[in-house]
């Protein structure tokens, strides 16, 4: 199989004062406003083709990607790449709770300039990844990484309650599997690492007022630093009630 791949990475961090996702405050449940940036938010894109089928994947440091945003991004990409079909453009959020407010649950709207800018950059990254295609080899592996817990626990009366810390008997499932896909170029250098794990990205907790990619962003930075020139993409699983261990920190020590 003649497999080719391309990558791209763009900064999507909004300016200070923009709305943060999740953890609304006050009786009106209004979104937090970012005081600044702890670590930048990125969209990382990967293109794959075997000359028969082409797939584009974007992983964005956001809490949520709405379906209407996906449709707009797909339309923008398909206008510029004739070889790709909309259903083969996959867009994922890392689910960082310190990303931009793109859910429109606590503020912002589809025509907000920051939202439109993020959507445009996601589309641009996908197009750039397509134009960076080169021959690659693929390898994959799976291991168990028990760094999560289920927030549904049993209290002393045997009832299920929700707690954010791992301090009681878990009564719900987790998915400890870490799946990794590695792409190397013709020289053997690592071009891309796509990895999948299941846990909410909220180690900083509701007290945080700064943009952050949380643990997925930290892991991506470590991979890209270890393998210079590579692009690391994180895809979250069905997190549901699954939280990272020692989550909901009130400071930035978790990063």
């Amino acid at each position: 199989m003649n497999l080719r791949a391309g990558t791209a990475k763009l900064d999507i961090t909004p300016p200070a004062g923009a709305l943060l996702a999740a953890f609304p405050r006050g009786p009106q449940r209004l979104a937090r406003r970012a005081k600044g940036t702890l670590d930048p938010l990125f969209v990382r894109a990967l293109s794959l083709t075997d000359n028969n089928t082409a797939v584009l994947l974007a992983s964005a440091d956001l809490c949520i990607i709405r379906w209407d945003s996906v449709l707009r991004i797909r339309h923008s990409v398909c206008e510029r790449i004739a070889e790709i079909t909309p259903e083969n453009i996959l867009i994922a959020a890392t689910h960082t709770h310190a990303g931009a407010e793109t859910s429109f649950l606590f503020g912002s709207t589809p025509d907000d300039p920051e939202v439109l800018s993020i959507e445009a950059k996601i589309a641009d990254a996908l197009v750039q990844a397509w134009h960076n295609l080169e021959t690659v080899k693929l390898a994959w592996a799976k291991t168990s990484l028990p760094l999560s817990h289920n927030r549904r626990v049993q209290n002393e009366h045997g009832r299920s309650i929700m707690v954010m810390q791992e301090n009681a008997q878990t009564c719900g499932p987790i998915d400890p599997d870490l799946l990794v896909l590695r792409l190397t170029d013709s020289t053997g250098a690592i071009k891309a690492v796509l990895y999948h794990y299941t846990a909410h990205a909220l180690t900083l907790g509701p007290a945080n007022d700064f943009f952050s990619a949380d643990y997925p962003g930290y892991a991506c930075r470590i991979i890209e630093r270890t393998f210079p020139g590579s692009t690391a993409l994180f895809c979250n699983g069905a997190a549901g009630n699954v939280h990272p261990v020692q989550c909901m920190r009130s400071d930035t020590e978790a990063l």
Side-chain angles (χ1 to χ4, degrees), residues 15-120:
L19 299 180
L20 280 156
F23 301 132
R25 293 176 179 165
Q28 295 181 311
R29 291 177 61 79
L30 298 177
R32 301 164 292 159
R33 288 198 177 272
K35 295 179 180 178
T37 300
L38 180 60
D39 55 283
L41 309 178
F42 289 101
V43 55
R44 294 170 168 90
L46 173 67
S47 61
L48 288 169
T49 180
D50 62 358
N51 296 328
N52 292 312
T53 303
V55 176
L56 298 181
L57 170 66
S59 173
D61 291 324
L62 298 170
C63 188
I64 291 174
I65 298 282
R66 284 172 55 102
W67 181 241
D68 48 356
S69 292
V70 171
L71 293 178
R72 286 191 293 269
I73 294 167
R74 284 177 166 179
H75 178 74
S76 175
V77 172
C78 289
E79 283 190 323
R80 290 179 277 175
I81 304 176
E83 298 91 336
I84 197 73
T85 56
E87 60 270 20
N88 283 7
I89 300 173
L90 310 177
I91 304 166
T94 63
H95 199 50
T96 173
H97 287 48
E101 168 51 19
T102 54
S103 69
F104 317 138
L105 293 174
F106 312 115
S108 190
T109 61
D111 58 355
D112 184 283
E114 293 303 330
V115 174
L116 294 176
S117 175
I118 289 171
E119 290 180 0

Side-chain angles (χ1 to χ4, degrees), residues 15-244:
L19 299 180
L20 280 156
F23 301 132
R25 293 176 179 165
Q28 295 181 311
R29 291 177 61 79
L30 298 177
R32 301 164 292 159
R33 288 198 177 272
K35 295 179 180 178
T37 300
L38 180 60
D39 55 283
L41 309 178
F42 289 101
V43 55
R44 294 170 168 90
L46 173 67
S47 61
L48 288 169
T49 180
D50 62 358
N51 296 328
N52 292 312
T53 303
V55 176
L56 298 181
L57 170 66
S59 173
D61 291 324
L62 298 170
C63 188
I64 291 174
I65 298 282
R66 284 172 55 102
W67 181 241
D68 48 356
S69 292
V70 171
L71 293 178
R72 286 191 293 269
I73 294 167
R74 284 177 166 179
H75 178 74
S76 175
V77 172
C78 289
E79 283 190 323
R80 290 179 277 175
I81 304 176
E83 298 91 336
I84 197 73
T85 56
E87 60 270 20
N88 283 7
I89 300 173
L90 310 177
I91 304 166
T94 63
H95 199 50
T96 173
H97 287 48
E101 168 51 19
T102 54
S103 69
F104 317 138
L105 293 174
F106 312 115
S108 190
T109 61
D111 58 355
D112 184 283
E114 293 303 330
V115 174
L116 294 176
S117 175
I118 289 171
E119 290 180 0
K121 289 178 180 178
I122 294 174
D124 288 345
L126 288 163
V127 172
Q128 289 181 24
W130 179 255
H131 290 304
N132 290 334
L133 287 170
E134 61 178 293
T135 300
V136 295
K137 291 184 178 180
L138 182 151
W140 72 276
K142 181 176 76 170
T143 191
S144 179
L145 190 66
L147 294 178
S148 61
H149 71 100
N150 193 297
R151 67 188 180 190
R152 295 289 177 178
V153 300
Q154 291 179 350
N155 63 15
E156 64 274 18
H157 304 293
R159 298 188 62 183
S160 175
I161 58 174
M162 185 173 77
V163 298
M164 298 306 180
Q165 298 288 0
E166 188 180 17
N167 59 1
Q169 179 185 355
T170 295
C171 60
I174 65 170
D175 179 2
D177 286 345
L178 171 66
L179 297 153
V180 180
L181 185 151
R182 185 192 69 191
L183 298 167
T184 54
D185 63 20
S186 58
T187 69
I190 294 179
K191 182 177 182 67
V193 175
L194 174 63
Y195 64 107
H196 171 278
Y197 192 65
T198 301
H200 282 261
L202 41 54
T203 61
L204 296 178
N208 170 58
D209 286 321
F210 294 84
F211 286 119
S212 170
D214 210 271
Y215 80 82
Y218 183 85
C220 284
R221 292 197 300 275
I222 292 295
I223 293 170
E224 292 171 348
R225 189 184 309 158
T226 304
F227 306 106
S230 67
T231 300
L233 298 91
F234 172 80
C235 290
N236 215 322
N241 283 308
V242 182
H243 280 207

